[in-house]
Every structure is written in C-alpha cells, then in structure tokens.
Amino acid sequence: LFCDSCDRGYHMFCLSPPLRKLPDGEWMCPHCAHLSPSEDTEVDIMDEHPPTADEVCGSAGEQAKEAGSSKNTPRETRLKHRTTVVVRRQKPLSRRRSSTTPKEIGKADEVTSKMEKKPVCVTSPEQLAMLESDLSGWAPQEELSRFLEAYSLGQAQGAEEQRASLCGGNGDDLVLFRRTPRSVSIDRNEIETRFSSPYPEEFASLDRLFLCSFCLLPRSSPFQLRRHMTKCRARHPPGCEIYRKDRTSVFEVDGAKSKDYCQRLCLLAKLFLHHKTLYHQVEPFLFYVLTVVDPSGCHLVGYFSKEKESSKSYNVSCILVLPPYMRQGFGRVLIDLSYALSRREGKIGSPERPLSDLGLISYRAYWKSVILHHLHTRTPGQRTVNVKALSQRTSISTHDLISTLQWIGRLKYWRGDHIILLHTQSPAPKSTKGYSCIDEKALHWKR
C-alpha cells in the first residue's frame, strides 16, 4: 500500500492496526496522517549538532559554546536549538482529486494502454501525425515538437543502421539475417554463401573465410592460409580411396575415426544447405567425399553422408556439390554411387526426407533416366513390367519408382490394373556416355 502523500510503501499486515482490505479514497501513512493536506503546519526540527561560535555571532554563539555536545547537554539546553519551520503542504497528485475531467482521464488511459501494449514505432509521416494528435494536450507544444523531431530522427538513423547490418554487398538486397561468413575461399574459388554456419567464435564475425582445400581448416586471412599450406601435409581426404577413374576419385571417411575433418565438412555444407542441422555428432555416419585429382592433390568437389545403421534403409542422409562444380554431372555421380553401394550391400535404398528443391530435381532426373533405360532395353515381346523386380535390379525403392512414373505421366490405371504407357515411336533415351556415371568395375568396395 503506497501513501498518496509521500509515496512510502507499506505491507497491509505490518500496519498498526493491520488492514484487511484496501481503503477507499485517499490513504495517508502514519508518518503523514497528522499533517493536513490543505493547511500550513508548524514542525519543530531539532538540530542534531548545535552550531559553534564561529558559525554564529552574538548571544547565539555564546549559547552554542555553553551547549557543548548534544550527548552531555541537558534537555532544557538542547530545546533552545529547536527550529520551527513551516511546512506548506500541497494537495497530493491523485487522479481522484485532480481537476482532470473523466473524459480526459479516459483518453489518457487509452494512450497509456496503447504505449504499454506495443512499443511506439513511427515509420511514416501519417503515424507521426497520429502520435502527435494522441500526445497533444499532455505536454507543452514546444517540448512535444522537440520530442517528435528527435524521435523521427532516431527512427531514421536506427533503420539505416539496421539495413546496413542486415544487407549484403552494397545494401541493395535486404535479407532476413546477416550471413556469417558472406563468402568462403577454397581452392582458388571464392564462393558466396547462402546461409550462416556456426563456426568458432574467432571466425563467426568474418565476412570472408579461407579454407584449406585438403583438410578444410578455417583461417581468417590469406596470409594465415599460406602459412598453413606450407605446413599442411594432407593432400587428400582422410580415409580409404574406394573409387578412381580418370580424374575422379572418391574417399570413404569414417566419422568416428576422422571426427575433426567430418565436422569441418558439415560446417562447410551448412553454408549452402538450409536444412543441415548436424555439425558435431558425426560418429554414426560415413562420408563419401568426391574429389578431382591434379598433380597438387585431391580437391573437394562434393560429398554425401549416410548412417552406418539406418532403420529406414536410407542410403543418403545429406548430399552436397559445391557451387563451382554444379551442372557438370557430379551430382549424378554421387547419386549413382549411393545406389551402387546399396546394390553391393544387397539392400533397397532411398534418400532421407525431406529433399531440398535441387535435391528433388536431381533425384527425379536420375530415377527417370534409369526407368526409361530399363523400359527401352526390355526383352522383345515383353508385355508386363514387375515394379518390384525393377526395384531389386536397380536398388531404387518401389515408392520412388511409382512416384517417378506418375510424375512423367507413364503410369495409368485402366480396367482395374496399373499399366505403363510406352510409345513405340518414341526415341530411346539418350546415351549416358556424356554423363559422369559410376563405373562399377572401378569401384573397390566390399561389404
């Protein structure tokens, strides 16, 4: 309970006598109860330390010398130093006794409730005029105009700073969040990132990150990267090389044995994949890293990962091709490799859902080419196609085969049976010699 006069606060049960309910009207604390709000009251104030002879002159000084300290001075002597002052009490600032009309009080409550519920944010001249109309009459016009001018200036400066911190490049394109880093330099390629990645704190605020093309160790400047390259002995990803043909090489990396490298690979993938959530717990996964070989070493192109033991028979958990190597058939190489490994294991595989937009396009193109290849190479006179047998032969799940047939418009339901439409006059699918596909004879991998 707060006093309407001095703003002191009291517990209701600490008062003497204690209160059981809130009092009606104006309430005074015990300290202010004996003072009348409308009259001048004389109050005696006793000096705690009596004045000395140097402070006063005449008889007052002599009286102060005789008084001595307040502890050893008789009561009659100390009473001489009481001072009578007049306390002029003003009416308390209470809404119940103010001269404000109920209509004005209601308007003030409405403005206050609006400002408490939602912070005032002025972004247009119309909103500024509305705010001025709401506050008019509650402050002097000079102070109100000064406040509105400063407020609008602060809003403009804050919006400009926010835009500068959130925009990339020259600030023309506004994005939702500031990407860190904005670009990554790896193997003489400067790649613009699409999303942020939780790199360590020392690299979190950099606009450009420099990565070693062999061990993927991050560095903050080209000088540090050159110093690292002179000491780095790695010339290929850790693990076993399971595939080599021409300039293409694939390494199998165990997340439990090469944890640091796999974590750096996941952090790099997060810069380009929105749904990538795994960064540190890489032990249950195998990583198949696709590289391009030159005299200096094996340079990273892309990778895919899969669980060592998948309960849902997923053969791919995450797949990535770096932007400089896109549209060159390397995505098809990774997809073909995942199904080649599934065939070696004798399992039916499928990529983990949900697929990204680019991932769905790549997989549908691969499934379509495989289906059309098997339909056009069937034995002469064969009138039926067993989808389950086709799934066993290609290691593609029946669900993926049927969805692809429906997507290309070849699966129809006619007279109670599902039929596959095959135009006899349609040309055979293009040869896959121009595509980078896996040669299973060059795949050295055992279950």
Side-chain angles (χ1 to χ4, degrees), residues 142-436:
E142 182 180 358
E143 294 183 3
L144 181 60
S145 60
R146 190 182 305 168
F147 163 74
L148 292 176
E149 181 181 358
Y151 191 87
S152 59
L153 181 62
Q155 288 282 356
Q157 292 179 352
E160 186 66 25
E161 292 177 359
Q162 184 180 13
R163 182 179 180 86
S165 63
L166 295 180
C167 291
N170 55 3
D172 294 335
D173 300 326
L174 184 64
V175 295
L176 294 179
F177 300 99
R178 185 177 183 271
R179 303 189 315 276
T180 52
R182 296 182 185 275
S183 63
V184 59
S185 179
I186 179 173
D187 195 21
R188 299 180 181 178
N189 294 316
E190 184 177 356
I191 311 171
E192 184 179 356
T193 61
R194 299 176 183 173
F195 308 99
S196 296
S197 183
Y199 273 96
E201 184 177 357
E202 56 183 317
F203 307 108
S205 59
L206 296 177
D207 288 338
R208 186 179 179 185
L209 191 63
F210 300 86
L211 299 181
C212 175
S213 57
F214 301 114
C215 67
L216 302 182
L217 194 67
R219 286 293 177 260
S220 58
S221 67
F223 175 76
Q224 294 183 3
L225 182 62
R226 287 194 298 268
R227 289 287 301 270
H228 167 76
M229 295 296 291
T230 59
K231 302 176 183 179
C232 183
R233 297 183 178 181
R235 287 298 176 264
H236 58 79
C240 302
E241 186 178 15
I242 63 173
Y243 181 83
R244 170 70 74 93
K245 184 177 181 181
D246 299 332
R247 297 179 60 246
T248 305
S249 179
V250 179
F251 290 82
E252 183 184 56
V253 185
D254 192 342
K257 296 180 181 179
S258 304
K259 184 177 179 180
D260 293 339
Y261 179 86
C262 296
Q263 288 179 349
R264 297 168 195 161
L265 190 61
C266 291
L267 291 175
L268 175 62
K270 176 57 183 171
L271 295 173
F272 308 100
L273 300 176
H274 179 62
H275 298 287
K276 181 67 176 176
T277 57
L278 178 68
Y279 316 117
H280 304 292
Q281 298 177 357
V282 295
E283 292 86 352
F285 293 87
L286 291 172
F287 295 80
Y288 295 88
V289 184
L290 177 63
T291 62
V292 173
V293 183
D294 64 5
S296 63
C298 300
H299 303 274
L300 176 66
V301 172
Y303 85 99
F304 76 88
S305 62
K306 72 173 184 178
E307 293 180 279
K308 297 177 182 178
E309 298 293 336
S310 178
S311 59
K312 297 183 179 180
S313 299
Y314 289 143
N315 61 0
V316 169
S317 296
C318 177
I319 185 169
L320 169 73
V321 176
L322 294 180
Y325 301 98
M326 288 183 176
R327 298 183 179 274
Q328 299 181 29
F330 290 109
R332 184 182 177 88
V333 170
L334 292 173
I335 296 175
D336 202 6
L337 175 63
S338 66
Y339 283 107
L341 295 176
S342 297
R343 287 192 292 271
R344 292 287 181 94
E345 293 177 338
K347 296 180 180 179
I348 305 298
S350 179
E352 186 175 344
R353 266 64 171 187
L355 289 172
S356 62
D357 296 338
L358 293 177
L360 182 59
I361 293 173
S362 301
Y363 267 96
R364 277 183 172 174
Y366 176 79
W367 293 332
K368 175 184 175 181
S369 63
V370 171
I371 291 174
L372 294 181
H373 173 75
H374 283 81
L375 289 180
H376 283 274
T377 57
R378 72 190 190 284
T379 57
Q382 184 181 357
R383 304 285 301 176
T384 60
V385 176
N386 192 333
V387 176
K388 188 174 182 180
L390 182 60
S391 175
Q392 293 288 342
R393 198 187 324 170
T394 60
S395 292
I396 303 176
S397 66
T398 56
H399 176 270
D400 296 334
L401 291 174
I402 294 175
S403 64
T404 305
L405 287 170
Q406 291 176 341
W407 175 66
I408 63 178
R410 294 298 181 93
L411 186 64
K412 300 295 181 180
Y413 187 78
W414 185 65
R415 294 185 179 180
D417 294 325
H418 288 89
I419 61 172
I420 298 176
L421 299 180
L422 183 62
H423 302 286
T424 56
Q425 300 299 329
S426 61
K430 295 181 180 180
S431 174
T432 59
K433 292 181 180 180
Y435 296 90
S436 299

Side-chain angles (χ1 to χ4, degrees), residues 40 59-60 107 115 124 130 153 158 221 231 237 240 258 329 385 428 438:
D40 297 342
S59 60
K107 182 179 180 181
M115 298 181 68
S124 63
M130 187 180 300
L153 181 62
S221 67
K231 302 176 183 179
C240 302
S258 304
V385 176
I438 288 293

Side-chain angles (χ1 to χ4, degrees), residues 56-110:
V56 296
C57 59
S59 60
E62 295 177 358
Q63 293 177 2
K65 289 182 179 179
E66 295 175 359
S69 63
S70 60
K71 294 183 180 179
N72 301 324
T73 304
R75 183 175 182 276
E76 294 80 4
T77 307
R78 295 198 306 269
L79 290 176
K80 295 180 181 181
H81 300 288
R82 287 183 177 272
T83 304
T84 302
V85 298
V86 177
V87 179
R88 188 173 302 277
R89 293 297 308 276
Q90 297 180 356
K91 292 184 179 181
L93 299 177
S94 174
R95 183 177 291 179
R96 290 183 291 271
R97 293 195 176 188
S98 64
S99 59
T100 310
T101 62
K103 184 176 181 180
E104 293 175 344
I105 293 175
K107 182 179 180 181
D109 291 339
E110 183 179 356

